[in-house]
């Protein structure tokens, strides 16, 4: 039996951080996004709140104010002994029904353990709390069923296991998490990403979430609007003439109504370099760059979160009249292509193979547009939601490409996956700086489609 298990746990309750209070109409209103709690105003209420916010108080107080705060998940709970704090339970919301303590319970498959500041942070999108563990051996003891008989009731390991159970970190390995569709349909990383990349129970805009400009505060320089150039040959693209285009393409309604995902191309009459250049010009060119407070902002035909335009397009060309095959980067500032790799390069061929499989046809696309993100353009500004913004911007770009293909009479189709490893190998970019986030195939419409109409 370890010393951590033998010594009884001291428990202290403190008001969670980030709480604001105001008195109105005889009520004390506590606010901490997205929570609001209204309590009867009075000297007793103010005194309890001040004490809990300042130094805390031993757990178990039975006054109405403390009970209401505890019930609604407003109080952090510290567990420790004469050595100091051992672990802290930070509630995110009111606790749900507690599962039965009997039977075989293990760590939930949605639980994540990570290190931060020398402690272990235990979190889960299904849990009602976040637990910070300052003594790692406690987690092992609390999770190991073999240690349970030796765990002294009231000891720290037993207290931690009780908190893991009550806040939703423990689950039956053969229970609803593995049997019910509502749980099985979520992969752990997807549910965690969904939970952590939007406002929920953890804070509010400006409190470690949203456009906080944390990079500036940390002393990092912002990424410029233009990426580092590649050293390959450059291909200038013609600026399209839109004189008669409005009349020939029809209204926005017409364009959207005839849009379809077309995965098959006419290889006897492939897309031309002018058509590819026009597609890129209409969806991704940089119209202008302006600087504000040391940050370069961009204007482009499509919207982008924060006007930072982190997405880059890499046309991988196999058949395009007037353009040699290869993997190119679209220089949206100069409306030019720059060669990155020949199409014979293994990593390029691998991207094409993944795209062929992803399109379900097995056919090699005439042009594969690889969408990459220079993530620092977004993440320098945004906390907690930066990558979610990147994916939303990718969806906007997909829509712009699909609509423009429809207007131009091209065959276009967004794909649901991409080969980020092959992209890194082909470009030599640091994947933590610039990474592949999507793919879109484009080519000429088969003549049978043109004859049948759309």
């Amino acid at each position: 039996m370890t010393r951590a298990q033998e010594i009884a746990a001291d428990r202290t309750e403190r008001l969670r951080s980030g709480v604001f209070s105001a008195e109105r109409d005889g009520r004390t209103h506590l606010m901490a996004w997205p929570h609001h709690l209204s309590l009867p105003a009075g000297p007793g209420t103010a005194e309890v709140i001040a004490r809990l916010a300042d130094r805390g108080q031993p757990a178990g107080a039975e006054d109405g104010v403390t009970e209401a705060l505890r019930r609604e998940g407003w109080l952090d709970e510290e567990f420790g002994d004469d050595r100091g704090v051992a672990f802290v339970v930070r509630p995110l919301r009111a606790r749900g029904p507690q599962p039965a303590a009997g039977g075989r319970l293990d760590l939930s498959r949605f639980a994540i353990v990570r290190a931060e500041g020398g402690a272990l942070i235990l979190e889960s999108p299904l849990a009602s709390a976040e637990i910070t563990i300052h003594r790692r051996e406690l987690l092992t003891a609390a999770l190991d069923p073999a240690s349970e008989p030796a765990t002294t009731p009231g000891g720290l390991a037993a207290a931690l296991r009780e908190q893991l159970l009550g806040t939703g970190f423990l689950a039956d390995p053969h229970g609803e998490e593995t049997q019910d569709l509502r749980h099985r349909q979520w992969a752990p990383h997807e549910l965690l990403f969904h939970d952590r990349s939007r406002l929920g129970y953890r804070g509010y805009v400006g409190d470690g979430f949203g456009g906080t400009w944390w990079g500036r505060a940390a002393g990092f320089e912002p990424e410029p609007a233009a990426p580092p150039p590649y050293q390959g040959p450059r291909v200038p693209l013609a600026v399209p003439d839109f004189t008669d285009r409005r009349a020939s393409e029809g209204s926005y309604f017409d364009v959207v109504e005839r849009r379809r995902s077309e995965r098959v191309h006419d290889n006897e009459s492939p897309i031309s370099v002018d058509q590819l250049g026009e597609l890129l010009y209409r969806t991704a060119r940089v119209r202008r760059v302006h600087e504000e407070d040391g940050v370069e902002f961009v204007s482009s035909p499509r919207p982008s979160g924060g006007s930072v335009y982190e997405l880059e397009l890499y046309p991988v060309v196999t058949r395009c009249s007037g353009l040699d095959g290869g993997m190119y980067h679209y220089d949206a500032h100069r409306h030019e292509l720059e060669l990155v790799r020949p199409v014979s390069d293994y990593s390029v061929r691998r991207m094409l193979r993944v795209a062929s499989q992803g399109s379900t046809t097995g056919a090699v696309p005439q042009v594969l547009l690889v969408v990459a993100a220079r993530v620092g353009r977004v993440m320098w500004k945004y906390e907690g939601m930066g990558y979610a913004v990147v994916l939303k911007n990718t969806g906007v770009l997909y829509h712009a490409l699909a609509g423009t293909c429809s207007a131009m009479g091209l065959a276009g189709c967004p794909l649901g996956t991409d080969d980020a490893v092959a992209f890194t190998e082909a470009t030599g970019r640091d994947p933590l700086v610039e990474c592949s986030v999507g793919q879109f195939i484009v080519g000429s419409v088969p003549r049978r489609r043109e004859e049948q109409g759309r």
Side-chain angles (χ1 to χ4, degrees):
M1 191 181 304
T2 68
R3 185 176 186 274
Q5 294 168 340
E6 291 173 348
I7 296 179
D10 294 326
R11 301 168 59 189
T12 301
E13 291 177 314
R14 300 182 188 277
L15 189 66
R16 60 181 294 177
S17 61
V19 176
F20 300 90
S21 64
E23 292 193 7
R24 183 179 179 183
D25 300 330
R27 308 284 295 180
T28 296
H29 299 273
L30 298 179
M31 292 156 285
W33 180 271
H35 305 289
H36 170 262
L37 184 62
S38 176
L39 299 169
T45 301
E47 180 183 345
V48 172
I49 292 174
R51 182 170 62 251
L52 288 167
D54 180 25
R55 62 183 182 277
Q57 65 184 23
E62 300 300 328
D63 62 274
V65 174
T66 302
E67 289 179 353
L69 292 170
R70 184 188 302 124
R71 181 176 62 252
E72 297 300 322
W74 288 70
L75 299 181
D76 292 350
E77 195 166 10
E78 296 178 356
F79 291 76
D81 54 21
D82 57 354
R83 295 168 55 193
V85 177
F87 65 92
V88 179
V89 179
R90 179 198 176 199
L92 302 174
R93 57 182 181 269
R95 295 192 181 194
Q98 182 167 317
R104 176 72 170 91
L105 296 179
D106 202 351
L107 199 63
S108 164
R109 74 184 187 97
F110 294 101
I112 303 293
V113 181
R114 58 183 175 85
E116 184 175 296
L120 295 180
I121 308 296
L122 188 59
E123 58 186 337
S124 165
L126 297 183
S128 63
E130 180 179 276
I131 301 180
T132 301
I133 303 172
H134 296 283
R135 301 179 198 172
R136 301 188 177 198
E137 70 274 10
L138 287 177
L139 182 59
T140 301
L143 293 177
D144 184 4
S147 71
E148 290 181 37
T151 301
T152 304
L156 286 170
L160 178 56
R161 183 170 181 85
E162 180 183 0
Q163 293 300 315
L164 294 174
L165 179 66
T167 56
F169 283 102
L170 299 183
D172 182 347
H174 305 292
E176 61 179 13
E177 286 192 359
T178 58
Q179 301 299 321
D180 293 354
L181 174 62
R182 59 189 294 265
H183 289 96
R184 284 286 300 277
Q185 64 192 351
W186 286 98
H189 70 281
E190 291 178 308
L191 188 56
L192 182 67
F193 173 68
H194 172 76
D195 178 64
R196 294 303 303 271
S197 61
R198 51 196 29 85
L199 282 173
Y201 294 101
R202 295 179 180 273
Y204 50 89
V205 173
D207 179 28
F209 186 90
T212 62
W213 304 95
W214 72 271
R216 187 194 308 280
F220 296 108
E221 292 296 321
E223 290 287 326
Y230 290 91
Q231 301 305 311
R234 302 182 72 89
V235 180
L237 298 172
V239 174
D241 183 359
F242 298 130
T243 304
D244 301 323
R245 202 56 61 85
R246 288 183 177 86
S248 62
E249 289 185 354
S251 67
Y252 178 77
F253 176 82
D254 295 331
V255 169
V256 172
E257 283 299 302
R258 68 173 183 258
R259 188 217 60 80
R260 64 185 302 160
S261 292
E262 179 60 79
R263 298 168 174 83
V264 178
H265 303 155
D266 183 356
N267 288 336
E268 294 182 5
S269 181
I271 187 175
S272 70
V273 65
D274 286 345
Q275 288 176 311
L276 176 59
E278 180 177 337
L279 177 64
L280 296 171
Y281 186 88
R282 293 174 65 169
T283 58
R285 81 181 187 278
V286 170
R287 294 187 293 208
R288 60 184 175 274
V289 177
H290 68 280
E291 183 177 318
E292 294 181 17
D293 200 17
V295 180
E296 291 183 339
F297 296 97
V298 173
S299 172
S300 184
R302 70 183 193 279
S304 180
S307 294
V308 295
Y309 288 89
E310 77 287 355
L311 298 182
E312 302 287 334
L313 280 175
Y314 289 78
V316 180
V317 177
T318 63
R319 289 182 178 86
C320 180
S321 61
L323 183 63
D324 293 335
M327 179 181 183
Y328 296 86
H329 170 251
Y330 176 55
D331 184 339
H333 294 258
R334 299 170 60 178
H335 191 50
E336 293 181 349
L337 296 177
E338 47 188 359
L339 184 64
V340 178
R341 292 279 181 179
V343 76
S344 59
D345 186 270
Y346 173 76
S347 57
V348 177
R349 289 189 287 111
R350 188 170 123 181
M351 280 187 283
L352 289 168
R353 184 167 63 250
V354 170
S356 300
Q357 295 170 347
S359 68
T360 71
T361 66
V364 176
Q366 291 176 2
V367 177
L368 169 66
L369 296 176
V370 179
V371 183
R374 297 171 58 221
V375 294
R377 287 283 292 164
V378 171
M379 294 184 179
W380 186 85
K381 173 182 178 181
Y382 293 102
E383 281 190 85
M385 57 177 285
Y387 191 61
V389 171
V390 169
L391 297 185
K392 290 169 183 175
N393 288 339
T394 302
V396 171
L397 177 57
Y398 275 9
H399 178 75
L401 289 168
T404 306
C405 283
S406 173
M408 294 178 60
L410 296 174
C413 179
L415 301 182
T417 187
D418 59 286
D419 191 334
V421 174
F423 172 83
T424 296
E425 293 175 355
T427 62
R429 300 295 209 206
D430 181 343
L432 297 181
V433 175
E434 182 175 352
C435 55
S436 170
V437 293
Q439 292 181 337
F440 189 100
I441 60 175
V442 62
S444 57
V445 174
R447 278 172 289 184
R448 69 178 185 277
R449 294 290 191 196
E450 294 177 341
E451 293 166 357
Q452 295 171 357
R454 308 184 89 188

